[in-house]
Amino acid sequence: MRPFIYERVSDWAAATQAAGGGASAPVSYLAGGTTLVDLMRLDVMRPQRVIDINALQDGRYGRIELGQNGLRLGALVRMADAAAHPDVRHHYPVIGQSLQLAASAQLRNMASLGGNVLQRTRCTYFRDVSYAACNKRNPGSGCAALAGVNRMHAVLGGSDHCIATYPGDFGQALIALDATVDLISPDGARTIPFAKLHRQPGDTPDQETMLRPGELIVSFTVPAGPWTRRSLYLKVRDRQSYEFALASAAVALDLEDGAVREARIALGGVATVPWRAADAEAALRGKTIDEQTAMAAADAAFAGAQGHGHNDFKIELGKRTLRRALRQAAALEI
Amino acid sequence: MANAAAPTPKANMGAPAPRVDARLKVTGQARYPSDTPVGNPAFAVLVTSTIATGRIERLDLDGARAVPGVLDILTYENTGELKGVKFGQGSSTSIEDLGPEIQQAGQIIAVVVADTFEAATDAASRVKPTYSEQTPSATFGSPGVTQEDATKVSPQHKHLPQAGDAEAAFAGAPVVIDLEYETPPQHHNPMELFTTTCAWTADHLTVYEPSQFVYGLKNGVAQRLGIDPDKVRVVSSYAGGAFGSKGTMTPRTAMIALAAKRLNRPVKLVATRAQGFTIATYRAETRHHIRLGAARDGKLVGYSHEGFEVSSRPDPYVVAGVEDSAQLYAFGAVATKVNVVHADRNTPGYMRSPPVVPYIYALESAMDEMAQKLGMDPIAFRRVNDTMNSPIGNRPYSSRSLMTCYDQAAAAFGWKDRNPQPGAMRDGDWLVGYGCATAVYPTHTGPAAARVRLKPNGEARVQIAAHEIGNGAYTVIGQMAAERLGIDLASVTVEIGDSRLPPAPVAGGSNTTASSCSAVKKTCNLIRARLFHAAVTANDGPLAGRSADDLMLQDGKVVANDGAGESFADIFRRMGVAVVEDYAEFVPDGLKPQAIADLYAGKVDMVGGSHGDKVMYAMGAELVEVRVHVLTREIRVPRIVGAFAAGRLMNTRTVHSQLMGGMIWGISSALHEATEIDPRYARYVNDNLADYMIPVNADVDQVQVILVSEVDHDVNPAGVKGLGELANVGTAAAITNAVHHATGIRVRKLPIRLEKLLQA
């Protein structure tokens, strides 16, 4: 790890001021630190200043608030607290499950929700600086994963420059439920759809989000809807805990007499960003969920998928994961 | 309620004494080598090569030297005084130099030493090598690998088992199978990282390093430094997991010793997890070609097994597990061959049950396939081919309880409920499969020496340079002394893991309990004889004039069977001594008396296994249930039952723990573990514990261990068959066999990942 300057701030203005666009040296915010410290030790992230925002969690940014119009999650809420929250579990099971199935108990106790959605990819060629080729780390250097060991890599949303998988789970729940993100920066506050937060790699995989320099996530708002209670997160992985998804599905359904009025679907483990499967949703509208319609939705979701060798199986696995999730969600007793 | 972790001893089993070091370990008080305080240490950080083949053309150290606190940087340019110790003579590898030739990815090319760990780490990242790089050959099938017959290049395997005419047997057999299997590279990944701390006092060196063989390391380091071995002491009171990775000397030790000498200051190294993948050894990938021939009634008539094993470019490391697999059943004719395939990789080495894990996986998978082809129950098929004589030379087993193990495991498991038809058992969305396989491990016994001191108050001290690697060595050695001296385990202090103590063999081949307890038993017997002699030859006293044959030691006294007795204190007083101390050397039958002198010099020979007039093996039967999701194909192992027989069991608690841990590792090798190689660079990709998968608690549900009584008077004086490496053998086959039973899909390449079951 390289030497760095550590600062602790006690209000938002000071935080964004410290990290603001005018700052000359690379700056990182520190909340749970579960990604940042890891990547600093690996020499992948090299901030010269680290601004600790944990003191800000005493306000509403560390709280969960359930209202008529939806759910508000402060960015400094810890994953474990959100996963265990009774309102989250009852009204938004897909959110609770996506958090509960992520990481380990120790990490969930440390990691913040704001940091969670910004978790960096687990691509080995990104995380090990001794590999020369990584467009995400060194723009223009190439992508070692395209022809390398890529079993865990993405089949959706990739490019010739990067196929690194978005590793998170919570992001799928947020994008499925049309969440918004509240941001603050020296230029002021703004709110954007969560779906606009992450950028597909394209030819600039080093630019992972739409955040402006020094901009900070302060909360997430998840709108209420008739689908949120009939929702679940299914995560298929190589072991039963403490492992990233090979394929996952966040599903929320609004059924009327067994037919789909509205379906919300997002996919994880298979894409470069939190991935909303709009075509699959459309394919289900008005239909009863059975093996046939679930398969048609799954085929629609992966119509544009592209394998790279070791990860070819993720297309079939992703489809089966979605089929299973849809059948399970339709059968839920609520 | 019975404590499953401390099974009630049956015949020929010792008490489930709790580990004497358990509390120290779980409270953090056990002192592992890198925990040992040394005065004012400097900290070393390694720089390793990012290429696998080529040459360092330039090594730019300016940036590293500029980091405040940096004291020294070792490179190939200033380490020429280190002497080579070739592979096979105590060193884990011939790739010992820091360059300029690079022969493997992750070869150590610099050792940066600084006042702080942080400064050394920062500086290490600023060492800038310029390489001329060649295209490496990574593994099987890579252009440029070379292949050799192991019998021509491996001194340990000049002869491999052969019997009769296998080709003729296959030609005449009504049922023949001809199959190939494959296992992946695996790394030990002990919790405790690879560490070395070196401190010099004048011309004497002390090395604190987790080791499975302190005498081997002491002599090896002395040889590399060109100094008298008597001037080197190695201390390893505990190893935080070893599994074979700490059994042979790796290149780092001499480098750290040299760094400490150059600075005249202790130097401490704790290598990173990723570096552990390349600066030590691993289990190499293997391929197997197996043929079995059988009559319609299931009697085998022929077995051929050709193995292929990857090794490094310079070293012919092979495990050649046909040596053991060929003994296992009444095969009839046997033909075996092993090939070493040289690639641009670090040299592999011992990893828990080295020969039998890959070879028995392959054989036990083939046995299942043959049973299926014959339409026989897989346990019944093994019973038909059970034998009390090895097919190689028709030599008798010293003892063998395989089918007893199967019977007890099958009863506990409910094997009779198995529907033989693959794919026929189902529970909701989960396909259910039952599978079985044999576990087997050769019994090894080595020479050992021990010193034992008995005090008049009934306290004893045992000194033997055995090794505590999680095997319970402190406890079982203490138990043997307590039993022979008639005192409580709590009255025995055991000192091990220090090359100043009398030597014991490498903690490898599961020999520690057998060898160490045999030596301790022999030493204690000398003390007993002296006490008995003093008691019966006294002019007066309660035991005067008795026959020594009628005496025993009990509760700190010498007693006769009629209850007459005399305390140690009284006997010592008459002997005119403050303590009674003895030293004895134990050399197992079949070894030359020179064996102990060799051990002092860091060389160890063992007897047992497939060698000798009798063949000696511990055995077991493992039965597993797997569940495979009908759609997404996740594989679960809800239960596993293993029954094991291994001669005398010193301590049913430590034995239970070893066997349970072994089966869990077996689950891991079936479903999780594999080191991934990027063939373009011959580099390990998943060199961390997040990506190198092992099971977590959620993956391990019911694990039942059944201890089967067995008596064996031939193996060694202690009657012990080592079992530390027994239970992880065969498990992978039991699981793949069960997956086939659940799904009808036969996976012949480990590990079974769910994508291999997505077809159809």
Side-chain angles (χ1 to χ4, degrees):
Chain A
M1 193 186 284
R2 294 166 188 244
F4 60 93
I5 295 164
Y6 170 85
E7 292 172 49
R8 201 177 322 185
V9 293
S10 53
D11 65 70
W12 293 92
T16 57
Q17 205 64 43
S24 54
V27 175
S28 288
Y29 290 117
L30 173 73
T34 53
T35 287
L36 177 67
V37 176
D38 185 27
L39 290 175
M40 285 173 70
R41 291 171 69 169
L42 294 172
D43 210 24
V44 174
M45 293 182 73
R46 301 170 179 177
Q48 293 179 16
R49 291 168 66 211
V50 171
I51 298 166
D52 185 338
I53 57 169
N54 283 297
L56 309 181
Q57 70 187 343
D58 295 340
R60 65 190 294 253
Y61 304 103
R63 283 208 298 270
I64 296 169
E65 295 160 336
L66 181 71
Q68 286 293 323
N69 299 325
L71 179 72
R72 186 182 171 285
L73 299 162
L76 287 168
V77 170
R78 305 295 145 168
M79 288 173 70
D81 294 330
H85 198 280
D87 289 338
V88 173
R89 291 162 62 102
H90 182 76
H91 297 285
Y92 298 84
V94 63
I95 292 179
Q97 291 165 15
S98 72
L99 290 164
Q100 183 64 37
L101 293 171
S104 64
Q106 292 89 338
L107 289 167
R108 293 194 295 271
N109 285 336
M110 287 294 290
S112 69
L113 297 184
N116 176 279
V117 301
L118 299 178
Q119 184 180 2
R120 310 289 301 273
T121 184
R122 300 292 303 183
C123 173
T124 297
Y125 305 103
F126 168 73
R127 288 171 56 83
D128 186 336
V129 296
S130 68
Y131 289 101
C134 175
N135 288 322
K136 200 179 268 301
R137 239 189 315 108
N138 287 321
S141 61
C143 173
L146 277 170
V149 176
N150 56 32
R151 178 174 181 265
M152 297 300 289
H153 285 71
V155 294
L156 290 168
S159 72
D160 292 343
H161 303 275
C162 183
I163 52 169
T165 307
Y166 174 74
D169 297 296
F170 177 51
Q172 276 70 261
L174 291 176
I175 200 169
L177 298 181
D178 284 322
T180 56
V181 193
D182 305 312
L183 304 169
I184 190 168
S185 75
D187 302 331
R190 62 174 181 143
T191 296
I192 63 169
F194 181 77
K196 297 266 191 230
L197 179 64
H198 294 88
R199 300 164 61 126
Q200 291 187 30
D203 54 7
T204 54
D206 55 307
Q207 295 172 38
E208 295 178 349
T209 71
M210 301 299 284
L211 293 176
R212 297 168 182 160
E215 201 164 37
L216 188 56
I217 299 174
V218 297
S219 59
F220 303 94
T221 302
V222 186
W227 45 78
T228 66
R229 281 203 58 204
R230 183 181 293 283
S231 71
L232 59 78
Y233 189 71
L234 177 67
K235 185 172 182 179
V236 174
R237 43 185 165 172
D238 282 320
R239 59 184 172 197
Q240 293 192 60
S241 179
Y242 197 12
E243 178 57 13
F244 296 90
L246 292 168
S248 70
V251 169
L253 298 176
D254 177 21
L255 301 182
E256 185 180 35
D257 299 331
V260 174
R261 195 152 47 189
E262 196 70 54
R264 302 302 183 86
I265 298 170
L267 305 172
V270 292
T272 55
V273 293
W275 190 266
R276 182 80 177 261
D279 291 347
E281 296 174 4
L284 287 170
R285 209 159 286 136
K287 307 263 174 57
T288 305
I289 289 184
D290 56 25
E291 193 46 49
Q292 217 167 11
T293 56
M295 207 177 290
D299 287 343
F302 285 88
Q306 168 80 50
H308 302 277
H310 302 132
N311 69 350
D312 290 345
F313 75 97
K314 280 190 170 184
I315 299 172
E316 176 63 21
L317 180 68
K319 290 182 187 179
R320 292 187 187 205
T321 303
L322 179 53
R323 283 159 58 192
R324 184 176 160 194
L326 287 169
R327 300 294 299 271
Q328 278 185 21
L332 281 177
E333 304 276 346
I334 58 168
Chain B
M1 195 178 132
N3 178 359
T8 305
K10 302 173 197 164
N12 204 28
M13 298 183 194
R19 289 171 192 258
V20 296
D21 47 353
R23 186 170 294 275
L24 292 177
K25 284 183 172 174
V26 299
T27 56
Q29 295 174 81
R31 190 163 273 175
Y32 291 80
S34 66
D35 301 333
T36 311
V38 289
N40 189 30
F43 295 85
V45 169
L46 304 178
V47 181
T48 55
S49 68
T50 56
I51 67 162
T53 39
R55 190 185 162 82
I56 302 171
E57 295 297 344
R58 216 170 75 81
L59 204 50
D60 178 356
L61 303 178
D62 294 348
R65 287 208 176 100
V67 173
V70 169
L71 303 167
D72 195 9
I73 302 176
L74 271 59
T75 69
Y76 68 87
E77 288 176 326
N78 56 18
T79 49
E81 68 188 88
L82 293 178
K83 318 244 179 324
V85 176
K86 286 298 169 202
F87 167 80
Q89 292 164 18
S91 176
S92 65
T93 178
S94 300
I95 308 172
E96 297 174 298
D97 294 338
L98 292 94
E101 299 303 325
I102 301 298
Q103 293 177 276
Q104 61 158 98
Q107 182 176 335
I108 300 170
I109 59 169
V111 182
V112 178
V113 188
D115 275 325
T116 65
F117 173 71
E118 289 76 11
T121 303
D122 188 9
S125 74
R126 296 170 198 272
V127 171
K128 298 294 176 211
T130 305
Y131 301 106
S132 59
E133 187 176 357
Q134 288 153 15
T135 304
S137 308
T139 182
F140 292 128
S142 298
V145 296
T146 58
Q147 184 171 318
E148 295 177 305
D149 181 339
T151 58
K152 304 215 162 47
V153 292
S154 175
Q156 296 83 25
H157 303 104
K158 282 185 179 153
H159 305 284
L160 292 174
Q162 318 291 341
D165 185 343
E167 290 302 330
F170 296 134
V175 186
V176 175
I177 58 170
D178 184 331
L179 298 161
E180 294 182 2
Y181 300 92
E182 199 166 332
T183 66
Q186 298 179 334
H187 279 77
H188 316 74
N189 277 309
M191 289 272 280
E192 179 196 33
L193 297 164
F194 295 103
T195 80
T196 300
T197 303
C198 288
W200 291 84
T201 305
D203 61 350
H204 280 68
L205 169 68
T206 304
V207 180
Y208 303 92
E209 178 176 309
S211 172
Q212 293 171 259
F213 191 23
V214 289
Y215 268 86
L217 187 55
K218 161 196 163 97
N219 283 280
V221 170
Q223 213 178 321
R224 288 212 68 198
L225 296 171
I227 62 174
D228 181 352
D230 285 346
K231 293 184 172 170
V232 179
R233 177 188 179 199
V234 174
V235 183
S236 177
S237 303
Y238 297 95
F243 315 115
S245 67
K246 295 162 183 171
T248 44
M249 177 176 63
T250 64
R252 74 182 194 273
T253 313
M255 296 176 193
I256 301 305
L258 179 61
K261 187 177 161 194
R262 283 163 63 98
L263 286 176
N264 192 24
R265 178 175 169 185
V267 173
K268 182 178 283 201
L269 167 75
V270 178
T272 67
R273 177 64 63 189
Q275 287 169 347
F277 278 69
T278 63
I279 66 164
T281 62
Y282 61 103
R283 194 196 302 282
E285 58 270 42
T286 65
R287 287 182 174 173
H288 305 264
H289 178 208
I290 290 189
R291 287 182 292 169
L292 287 172
R296 296 258 173 233
D297 63 1
K299 284 293 288 178
L300 288 165
V301 296
Y303 163 48
S304 82
H305 192 154
E306 182 170 13
F308 301 82
E309 306 182 30
V310 162
S311 188
S312 63
R313 202 58 92 168
D315 298 324
Y317 179 84
V318 286
V319 300
V322 290
E323 190 66 59
D324 301 308
S325 67
Q327 320 293 331
L328 191 51
Y329 298 112
F331 290 117
V334 174
T336 66
K337 187 179 182 196
V338 172
N339 307 284
V340 53
V341 176
H342 293 283
D344 295 311
R345 297 268 297 283
N346 49 325
T347 305
Y350 306 110
M351 183 161 160
R352 199 177 191 183
S353 341
V356 277
V357 158
Y359 282 81
I360 295 296
Y361 153 71
L363 171 61
E364 286 297 293
S365 299
M367 289 292 284
D368 199 70
E369 301 210 43
M370 180 55 108
Q372 190 200 4
K373 194 158 185 182
L374 290 162
M376 288 182 77
D377 175 84
I379 297 178
F381 176 54
R382 286 170 175 85
R383 194 183 310 278
V384 166
N385 293 291
D386 190 36
T387 177
M388 291 306 291
N389 293 285
S390 161
I392 309 301
N394 200 33
R395 293 162 302 151
Y397 272 85
S398 63
S399 60
R400 173 172 166 126
S401 310
L402 178 62
M403 294 320 297
T404 311
C405 292
Y406 267 109
D407 291 340
Q408 294 193 17
F413 184 85
W415 184 260
K416 63 179 173 15
D417 300 331
R418 181 180 188 265
N419 181 330
Q421 185 62 36
M425 295 169 69
R426 185 163 171 167
D427 180 5
D429 283 341
W430 294 86
L431 307 172
V432 178
Y434 290 178
C436 71
T438 297
V440 60
Y441 194 77
T443 298
H444 295 129
T445 309
R451 189 182 300 117
V452 178
R453 169 185 288 184
L454 181 65
K455 299 202 317 195
N457 64 0
E459 290 175 0
R461 185 188 69 188
V462 180
Q463 294 180 311
I464 179 168
H467 308 86
E468 174 60 52
I469 56 174
N471 46 5
Y474 280 110
T475 308
V476 296
I477 289 170
Q479 278 182 284
M480 177 55 86
E483 178 192 304
R484 298 311 295 165
L485 298 175
I487 57 180
D488 294 338
L489 176 57
S491 301
V492 183
T493 301
V494 178
E495 296 179 10
I496 63 178
D498 186 333
S499 66
R500 284 182 172 174
L501 305 175
V506 59
S510 294
N511 84 90
T512 290
T513 303
S515 311
S516 298
C517 287
S518 292
V520 170
K521 183 176 183 177
K522 184 173 179 182
T523 315
C524 290
N525 285 349
L526 296 178
I527 293 176
R528 288 164 65 97
R530 285 169 66 183
L531 296 184
F532 292 163
H533 180 77
V536 301
T537 57
N539 292 328
D540 51 15
L543 300 171
R546 304 253 186 159
S547 162
D549 295 341
D550 297 336
L551 303 181
M552 55 189 173
L553 299 187
Q554 202 172 24
D555 302 329
K557 287 185 290 199
V558 177
V559 295
N561 38 22
D562 64 359
E566 187 171 22
S567 72
F568 290 170
D570 289 342
I571 296 174
F572 279 43
R573 198 171 303 123
R574 196 168 47 246
M575 290 167 77
V577 297
V579 299
V580 176
E581 182 167 293
D582 251 304
Y583 164 90
E585 298 177 348
F586 161 70
V587 179
D589 290 345
L591 286 185
K592 297 186 177 119
Q594 175 69 17
I596 293 284
D598 286 348
L599 194 57
Y600 271 100
K603 293 190 282 267
V604 59
D605 269 324
M606 293 190 220
V607 295
S610 63
H611 306 289
D613 298 337
K614 292 186 176 178
V615 291
M616 301 174 177
Y617 284 87
M619 291 199 185
E622 298 186 15
L623 277 53
V624 301
E625 176 184 327
V626 304
R627 293 181 168 228
V628 178
H629 193 272
V630 68
L631 199 58
T632 45
R633 298 291 173 166
E634 296 110 302
I635 306 157
R636 308 288 189 234
V637 181
R639 61 199 184 104
I640 177 165
V641 176
F644 304 94
R648 173 160 178 79
L649 307 183
M650 288 297 297
N651 179 325
T652 56
R653 184 194 301 264
T654 53
V655 160
H656 178 272
S657 171
Q658 278 279 26
L659 295 170
M660 175 181 268
M663 285 197 280
I664 292 169
W665 199 345
I667 294 172
S668 183
S669 70
L671 300 180
H672 300 100
E673 265 183 82
T675 306
E676 309 284 351
I677 300 167
D678 189 325
R680 298 170 299 177
Y681 314 121
R683 292 184 63 184
Y684 303 127
V685 173
N686 56 339
D687 55 358
N688 59 78
L689 282 184
D691 296 323
Y692 183 92
M693 262 191 304
I694 56 171
V696 294
N697 278 336
D699 297 302
V700 180
D701 198 342
Q702 294 176 44
V703 181
Q704 185 181 351
V705 175
I706 298 170
L707 306 179
V708 175
S709 283
E710 184 180 74
V711 176
D712 192 320
H713 295 299
D714 293 322
V715 281
N716 49 58
V720 165
K721 294 176 173 179
L723 50 68
E725 298 169 88
L726 176 59
N728 60 320
V729 181
T731 322
I735 291 172
T736 51
N737 295 341
V739 166
H740 172 263
H741 182 235
T743 63
I745 299 171
R746 187 67 75 170
V747 177
R748 300 192 180 92
K749 183 177 179 181
L750 292 178
I752 318 181
R753 296 267 164 81
L754 60 74
E755 59 262 42
K756 295 176 183 169
L757 304 177
L758 280 175
Q759 65 206 67

